[in-house]
DNA sequence: TAACTGAATGTAATGTTATTACATCAATTG
DNA sequence: CAATTGATGTAATAACATTACATTCAGTTA
């Protein structure tokens, strides 16, 4: 774990995601930050790229959208190294739950090992309906 | 399991995917099928939509691309109901391996059940390097 | 057969997401 | 100071996907 000093743009993007109730697309973030001087998509994409590197933001591949990492209980900008992260995404209310499970991780590790595959990044996204929306 | 009669466009798209060595984007498919009369993206997207319904094609969310289902050993157009499907995607050669694992499926089922979540669709994509490219 | 129906198709236009290219600025360092 | 590095600003373009509307086709029914 190591703390990061975020740039102004990175902070703004992270704040937008942290305060959002659902995943945000890059262009939605751009619109939210126009008042703070954002003018072009690249300002958002560049910040998102760094925030993902730092482990502070996740990209949801099945939505083309981004969420703040949920495993920072504190709000310092601490980089923590995730293992495999899975997301349950409610298609009704947009709520996203991030979770981690050692058993699943182990199972996946065995599977790819059997195929002599070297994993760089694993995406697990479960689309459906959350408790409140069933 | 039930056989489907594919339309001409659906057959053409499925053939393109079946003969490809790597996932194809919708626009790549469009280009491959221009000689067969394809002119617009929608022709591809409509065929892909049906083929996915039939379980003959999968969408790879992390690539915005599509692959023919690998679990049809025969080439009749038989709809088979998958459980959860996972993909190992080589970032070097593009090769995609489709696999299924009851253990992992069960593990996921338990996890979402604990959250009282109702699953509609599960995406598992592992990006990395295949045996040949390590 | 003629009319109706629903599925599939053709085409154009548009919307959404992401990247490339290039110029500028600020902090660091030798 | 000159050189380097990382961050930023801006414009243009590329890549991916959908909406809207007209037409065609096959099967069904009056
Ligand atoms: Zn996280
Ligand atoms: Zn919900
Ligand atoms: Zn399959
Ligand atoms: Zn490979």
């Amino acid at each position: 774990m190591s703390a990061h000093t975020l740039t102004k743009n990175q902070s703004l993007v992270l704040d937008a995601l942290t305060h959002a109730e659902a995943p945000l697309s890059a262009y939605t973030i751009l619109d939210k930050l126009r008042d703070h001087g954002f003018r072009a998509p690249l300002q958002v994409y560049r910040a998102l790229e760094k925030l993902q590197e730092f482990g502070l933001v996740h990209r949801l591949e099945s939505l083309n959208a981004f969420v703040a990492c949920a495993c920072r209980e504190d709000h310092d900008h601490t980089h923590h190294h995730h293992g495999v992260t899975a997301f349950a995404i409610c298609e009704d209310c947009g709520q996203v739950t991030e979770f981690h499970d050692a058993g699943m991780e182990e199972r996946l590790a065995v599977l790819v090992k059997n195929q002599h595959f070297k994993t760089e990044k694993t995406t697990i996204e479960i689309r459906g309906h959350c408790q409140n929306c069933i």
Side-chain angles (χ1 to χ4, degrees), chain A residues 60 62-63 87-91 94-96 125-129:
Chain A
L60 300 176
S62 68
L63 293 178
F87 301 92
I89 302 168
C90 178
E91 302 197 330
Q95 181 186 100
V96 173
E125 297 179 16
I126 303 166
R127 304 281 294 266
H129 309 281

Side-chain angles (χ1 to χ4, degrees), chain A residues 6-106:
Chain A
L6 300 184
T7 67
K8 187 183 173 203
N9 285 1
Q10 288 161 14
S11 291
L12 287 166
V13 169
L14 182 57
D15 279 356
L17 287 173
T18 301
H19 296 130
E21 306 214 329
L24 300 180
S25 75
Y27 279 76
T28 302
I29 295 171
L30 175 57
D31 286 340
K32 283 184 184 295
L33 296 180
R34 290 209 187 270
D35 294 344
H36 295 270
F38 275 48
R39 309 293 308 275
L42 199 47
Q43 295 176 283
V44 178
Y45 283 110
R46 286 202 272 229
L48 287 171
E49 185 179 6
K50 288 295 180 188
L51 291 170
Q52 287 174 266
E53 279 177 22
F54 300 159
L56 299 174
V57 162
H58 299 288
R59 174 184 168 82
L60 300 176
E61 300 289 350
S62 68
L63 293 178
N64 293 335
F66 303 83
V67 287
C69 176
C71 1
R72 314 169 288 138
E73 282 118 28
D74 46 339
H75 280 209
D76 65 353
H77 302 140
T78 299
H79 179 175
H80 61 191
H81 188 62
H82 299 80
V84 176
T85 305
F87 301 92
I89 302 168
C90 178
E91 302 197 330
D92 301 313
C93 67
Q95 181 186 100
V96 173
T97 304
E98 175 174 343
F99 58 96
H100 302 266
D101 182 74
M104 195 174 56
E105 196 160 342
E106 177 55 29

